[in-house]
Amino acid sequence: MPKGLLGIEDLDRTEIEAILQRAGEFQALQRGEFRRLDTLKGKLIVNLFFEPSTRTRTSFEIAAKRLGADTITLTAAGSSVVKGESLVDTLNTLGAMHPSAIVMRHKASGAPHFLARHLNIPIINAGDGTHEHPTQALLDARTILDHKGRLEGLRVAIIGDIAHSRVARSNIYLLSKFGVEIILCGPAPLVPPELARIAPGVRIEYDMREAIRDVDVIMMLRVQLERQHETSFPRDEYFQFYGLRLEHMELAKPDVIVMHPGPINRGREISSEVADSQRSVILNQVENGVAVRMAVLERILGEA
Ligand code: CP
């Protein structure tokens, strides 16, 4: 199987460190007037998004272009999927055009893994169901490193709809490889106890004020209504118990940073006062998305 990126679970610490370091080099390039590189000149990258996306889709496209690759982006709504074409037939069709790599987002957990078994092309997982979102965890780690200078020994609270979050899973896998203490917090139906057993250093706390106490990083998650089949929590009640507000900030370390993968729902999981505060690094995460995806594409498709 050609080397792609299906999840963080499969990566070892050395590979993660190499991607984060290279992303750090690309960060510096982005800030000035960017000169397009030709590292991936002649390569064709297909972005195949079966679920909506703003950040991941655009940053993969920008990253590919900045490395000199050609890109095509296909969404389910604009493809022959709406005419009834199956996933396998869609993939065979795209494979026949010989792309250098396919970046794929799909609502089904395991869809990119299926694709990777089916096609002899590197596949990059841009989010599969509730399973993994590896480049999000990498850009989150890059952002934490930028602000804290290290991962080892940090205490990170991940708060919200953990059950449906591929971002939470990928972050748990990544942060635990670096000895981070991880506290998962949310309403009991949205925090499956088995998640505390998927990696070392993870514990569960249902009281948000306790979860936040003395943490270095607060990572908020969106309530994923599109993945919930049962009646959801009333918005006001959720915000009262699990919404991050200014009053919570003094419980954490004084230099705590607040993260959110986006899109944010103001007044549901986070207040505007916190989202727009000095402690928020949400837009730094977005900025790092391009640098990290450049590093990932270069690693998979660049010459050794
Ligand atoms: N964080 C993230 O995956 O955002 P998008 O859904 O906008 O890509």
Side-chain angles (χ1 to χ4, degrees), residues 49 52-57 105 126 133 136 166-167 261-263 293:
F49 278 70
S53 167
T54 297
R55 281 147 282 267
T56 312
R57 200 178 84 186
R105 170 171 289 191
H133 190 348
Q136 179 70 45
R166 53 198 179 207
V167 175
R293 287 167 181 130

Side-chain angles (χ1 to χ4, degrees), residues 161 163-164 189-190 223-225 227-233:
D161 180 0
H164 300 99
L190 297 183
V223 179
Q224 304 207 18
L225 297 174
R227 299 195 207 288
Q228 296 184 17
H229 305 298
E230 58 284 354
T231 313
S232 72
F233 288 78

Side-chain angles (χ1 to χ4, degrees), residues 26-260:
F26 284 132
Q27 276 176 328
L29 286 179
Q30 286 197 82
R31 301 225 169 96
E33 199 164 305
F34 192 85
R35 189 174 52 83
R36 191 178 159 123
L37 306 174
D38 61 6
T39 318
L40 300 188
K41 196 170 173 207
K43 307 281 187 194
L44 171 63
I45 296 170
V46 172
N47 291 318
L48 187 55
F49 278 70
F50 289 98
E51 275 194 329
S53 167
T54 297
R55 281 147 282 267
T56 312
R57 200 178 84 186
T58 50
S59 58
F60 261 117
E61 196 159 331
I62 294 166
K65 287 193 160 88
R66 288 192 161 173
L67 291 170
D70 295 318
T71 63
I72 291 171
T73 296
L74 192 64
T75 62
S79 74
S80 287
V81 168
V82 291
K83 298 181 214 161
E85 190 165 49
S86 71
L87 181 59
V88 171
D89 287 332
T90 302
L91 301 178
N92 282 335
T93 302
L94 291 170
M97 297 180 205
H98 305 291
S100 312
I102 296 178
V103 177
M104 184 197 202
R105 170 171 289 191
H106 200 280
K107 69 177 184 200
S109 300
H113 307 69
F114 169 76
L115 179 55
R117 284 193 298 275
H118 195 76
L119 292 180
N120 195 30
I121 297 168
I123 307 300
I124 301 169
N125 182 0
D128 65 318
T130 59
H131 179 225
E132 278 227 43
H133 190 348
T135 55
Q136 179 70 45
L138 288 164
L139 73 88
D140 288 343
R142 184 61 260 173
T143 306
I144 296 172
L145 280 175
D146 291 344
H147 288 84
K148 302 289 175 196
R150 67 191 164 99
L151 296 174
E152 288 84 356
L154 293 181
R155 184 180 290 174
V156 176
I158 305 180
I159 300 173
D161 180 0
I162 313 280
H164 300 99
S165 178
R166 53 198 179 207
V167 175
R169 260 174 204 74
S170 286
N171 267 296
I172 292 168
Y173 287 130
L174 191 152
L175 296 172
S176 71
K177 289 179 202 283
F178 289 85
V180 172
E181 181 184 345
I182 303 164
I183 303 144
L184 304 180
C185 177
L190 297 183
V191 187
E194 59 270 22
L195 275 184
R197 296 191 286 274
I198 66 170
V202 185
R203 68 180 165 89
I204 290 175
E205 177 61 69
Y206 297 109
D207 180 337
M208 181 167 161
R209 301 179 75 83
E210 287 307 317
I212 287 173
R213 205 168 291 284
D214 293 328
V215 295
D216 301 280
V217 177
I218 302 172
M219 199 178 276
M220 300 304 295
L221 298 175
R222 184 172 65 86
V223 179
Q224 304 207 18
L225 297 174
E226 72 275 25
R227 299 195 207 288
Q228 296 184 17
H229 305 298
E230 58 284 354
T231 313
S232 72
F233 288 78
R235 190 184 185 104
D236 290 348
E237 202 173 312
Y238 186 89
F239 188 63
Q240 185 189 341
F241 289 103
Y242 294 103
L244 187 65
R245 303 182 294 277
L246 277 182
E247 71 202 57
H248 293 115
M249 304 307 285
E250 64 199 36
L251 298 169
K253 290 207 176 133
D255 62 348
V256 68
I257 56 170
V258 175
M259 305 178 74
H260 192 307

Side-chain angles (χ1 to χ4, degrees), residues 279-291:
R279 303 257 59 94
S280 167
V281 298
I282 295 171
L283 291 179
N284 299 126
Q285 291 173 264
V286 176
E287 191 180 0
N288 280 336
V290 175

